[in-house]
Amino acid sequence: MPNIVVIVSDHLATRAVGAYEESAWADTPHMDRIGARGAVFENMYTSCPLSAPARASFWTGRFPHQTGVLSNGLKGDDPRVVANRSVPEDMPTLGARFSAAGYQTIHFGKTHDSGALRGFEVVPPGERPSEKVPVGYPENSDTWKDTWAMNRFCEWADKGLPEQFLCVVDLQNPHNICGWIGEHSSLDGPVDHPIRPSELPELPANHRVPDWQNLPLPVRYICCSHNRAAQTARYTDEDWRYYIDAFRHYSKMADDHVGTVLQKLEEQGVLDDTLVVMMADHGDGMGSHQMATKHVSFYEEMARVPFMVMGPGVRAGARVDTLTSLLDLFPGLCDYAGIGAPEDLPGVSFAPLLSGGAGERAYVASQWYSEWGCTVSPGRMIRSARYKYTSYLEGSAGGRDPSGGEELYDLQEDRGEMVNLASDPTHRAALLAHRALLQDHLRKEDDPFYSYDVVVDERWRSHEAGYTHHRGPTAVMALNAPS
Ligand code: ZN
């Protein structure tokens, strides 16, 4: 049976990965090597653009409403907010399946798994501060934890690799971008720029939001729910370019670690015999739609993730267009290794796609509940071959009038998702078709979407639309402030 290494990056956007050819500034030679020697998945979507729900989801192969891990955690004690659970004890996990099949299953780095890493030997995370920090790119525990985890990984590999292994290298970066924003908040006044403007990347073509009023309420007011959105709310164009530059920097740090993993496999003489998966839990706004990091929305930059695979049986240079989901990781790895996967998983094996096989899927789905429970705006995304459809409970009378909280983007004509067609009568047929796909999805997965409460104080929906109009605290800051 083949050995497998899964490298996970937290927050990595396709635009920051050279293999995706979406920007001139990406600087990820090691990830690109995986893409060139293997298959690049062009349409891979996370089941939730937020760390803890996404991770509990892909390690178990279930949607967040099935794992019970809906948010990163809870601040406050509003009884309407559904509490986060740990992954149920009897829910099968990827690690447990491979361990039972005789693999040494070992995990280095970021956990944030709510119990979903059951079956892995989890090497305890730690920190090793950097000795030298480049000017303009502050480092925090995200970067320090990666250094620690890579040292543990190298010690393990240098001892000689076991005969049969599934190894996960789980990187924090480029998540250090969140700390970078904390150090460069426009709430505190002008942002300091130690980098020369001529050296900064250009803004993405979909940076500006053309019509705030035509966006669902939770997306229109991310600045009031999410600290990082508030801290970037009054960024100038140059601030945004600096942000993208910093994102490139932290992505490069993750890429350096990817290079170390490949080098260790090469030194041990197993690189050509090992299946290597490079993926991310979710993406990052990258300045598109004036968004930093991720929150509530399902735009391509956040919901679509890098996913590349190289190894025995994988066709080099393959570009996989089939719609895929991170829920496919569990059944896909089982299929590739010849291990039985649980029969009721919602995902589909990606293994046939690796050798150039065709796949067909009508749609993939993604979910949002809340980041910390301070504002709760449940949402669902359906991505079909041509369109992306989103539906939020907020503004839709609990789902009885979906028109109050929908988006419809024609990705064939509008890759940047700039024009919301949900209220455009000429796209009525596509809208109704996607509403029907959502109903199909909710029924199939027994998804209690319409039973959730929307929990949003009206003061978080009160200022003139547009993030630049945001002033004062967010719902999270207000809850944390001493009364
Ligand atoms: Zn705001």
Side-chain angles (χ1 to χ4, degrees):
M1 291 197 287
N3 289 318
I4 299 172
V5 173
V6 180
I7 307 171
V8 184
S9 171
D10 191 328
H11 244 268
L12 188 64
T14 54
R15 199 172 285 164
V17 179
Y20 279 87
E21 299 173 359
E22 292 172 12
S23 71
W25 49 262
D27 189 6
T28 53
H30 302 295
M31 295 182 201
D32 301 351
R33 188 173 156 207
I34 297 174
R37 290 182 52 163
V40 177
F41 284 67
E42 296 280 8
N43 291 306
M44 176 62 80
Y45 288 85
T46 184
S47 57
C48 178
L50 187 68
S51 239
R55 287 158 183 273
S57 189
F58 60 69
W59 295 131
T60 61
R62 316 263 176 186
F63 283 102
H65 76 271
Q66 295 164 329
T67 64
V69 183
L70 300 181
S71 64
N72 272 351
L74 291 187
K75 299 178 194 285
D77 53 6
D78 191 312
R80 294 170 297 171
V81 181
V82 178
N84 243 28
R85 292 203 315 259
S86 290
V87 169
E89 286 284 332
D90 58 353
M91 184 171 276
T93 62
L94 179 72
R97 275 285 150 142
F98 273 75
S99 177
Y103 275 73
Q104 184 186 347
T105 47
I106 188 159
H107 176 281
F108 300 92
K110 175 160 184 152
T111 50
H112 214 195
D113 63 308
S114 315
L117 285 171
R118 184 162 30 81
F120 281 98
E121 176 194 342
V122 176
V123 175
E127 287 183 10
R128 200 184 121 190
S130 312
E131 283 160 17
K132 201 166 168 229
V133 180
V135 173
Y137 308 104
E139 294 179 359
N140 64 12
S141 64
D142 285 321
T143 292
W144 305 337
K145 284 174 181 167
D146 278 355
T147 311
W148 173 278
M150 289 309 296
N151 286 344
R152 302 291 83 74
F153 167 79
C154 290
E155 288 164 9
W156 174 74
D158 287 343
K159 277 193 301 190
L161 294 166
E163 201 161 309
Q164 189 79 85
F165 63 87
L166 165 62
C167 169
V168 177
V169 176
D170 217 328
L171 301 170
Q172 301 271 148
N173 262 324
H175 192 279
N176 202 143
I177 194 68
C178 293
W180 183 94
I181 296 171
E183 303 264 341
H184 298 87
S185 168
S186 61
L187 291 176
D188 305 328
V191 173
D192 185 33
H193 289 243
I195 315 291
R196 280 211 303 275
S198 62
E199 294 170 3
L200 298 173
E202 293 301 320
L203 289 173
N206 60 349
H207 172 63
R208 300 236 172 270
V209 176
D211 185 2
W212 288 102
Q213 298 298 342
N214 198 18
L215 296 181
L217 280 166
V219 180
R220 205 186 304 169
Y221 287 101
I222 289 175
C223 54
C224 292
S225 297
H226 182 47
N227 288 355
R228 301 311 182 194
Q231 289 166 329
T232 54
R234 278 176 278 160
Y235 269 17
T236 62
D237 284 2
E238 204 167 287
D239 296 337
W240 279 114
R241 292 173 61 207
Y242 185 22
Y243 175 86
I244 297 167
D245 177 65
F247 197 89
R248 177 202 53 76
H249 173 83
Y250 298 119
S251 300
K252 174 85 167 70
M253 296 187 96
D255 189 71
D256 288 345
H257 295 317
V258 173
T260 302
V261 173
L262 298 181
Q263 185 194 334
K264 287 293 165 193
L265 294 175
E266 203 152 32
E267 282 172 16
Q268 298 285 332
V270 298
L271 183 60
D272 293 340
D273 307 324
T274 303
L275 190 80
V276 178
V277 178
M278 175 74 227
M279 57 179 272
D281 56 355
H282 54 74
D284 184 286
M286 305 291 313
S288 67
H289 302 91
Q290 289 173 244
M291 278 181 203
T293 79
K294 74 290 168 189
H295 192 96
V296 102
S297 71
F298 296 102
Y299 293 122
E300 291 288 90
E301 290 80 2
M302 276 73 96
R304 177 172 161 261
V305 292
F307 192 89
M308 300 180 286
V309 186
M310 74 172 193
V314 184
R315 191 158 64 85
R319 309 293 290 200
V320 178
D321 288 329
T322 308
L323 292 173
T324 47
S325 161
L326 290 182
L327 295 176
D328 304 344
L329 183 75
F330 192 169
L333 291 183
C334 285
D335 187 14
Y336 184 84
I339 297 171
E343 284 180 3
D344 59 342
L345 292 180
V348 178
S349 169
F350 58 76
L353 306 174
L354 296 175
S355 51
E360 209 176 315
R361 205 182 214 163
Y363 65 88
V364 290
S366 190
Q367 308 188 347
W368 180 269
Y369 182 71
S370 178
E371 184 184 19
W372 296 110
C374 304
T375 57
V376 177
S377 305
R380 294 292 182 265
M381 178 204 87
I382 298 290
R383 165 75 157 96
S384 67
R386 177 165 177 174
Y387 291 91
K388 181 181 288 175
Y389 169 75
T390 74
S391 178
Y392 292 92
L393 285 188
E394 187 178 351
S396 70
R400 290 186 299 283
D401 177 15
S403 65
E406 292 175 307
E407 292 163 290
L408 182 72
Y409 298 104
D410 180 348
L411 294 179
Q412 200 168 294
E413 301 293 326
D414 177 24
R415 192 70 196 169
E417 300 167 287
M418 301 304 283
V419 184
N420 178 9
L421 302 169
S423 57
D424 183 338
T426 60
H427 290 80
R428 182 77 184 160
L431 180 76
L432 294 177
H434 285 76
R435 281 182 183 169
L437 289 180
L438 174 62
Q439 296 312 314
D440 178 66
H441 167 68
L442 298 178
R443 193 172 49 248
K444 264 190 197 152
E445 302 304 335
D446 205 12
D447 181 346
F449 179 47
Y450 296 117
S451 73
Y452 295 128
D453 286 315
V454 174
V455 184
V456 183
D457 190 291
E458 62 185 32
R459 72 188 145 142
W460 311 124
R461 300 290 183 260
S462 61
H463 63 68
E464 190 181 335
Y467 304 150
T468 52
H469 297 292
H470 182 89
R471 299 291 182 274
T474 63
V476 187
M477 294 174 194
L479 199 67
N480 289 340
S483 52

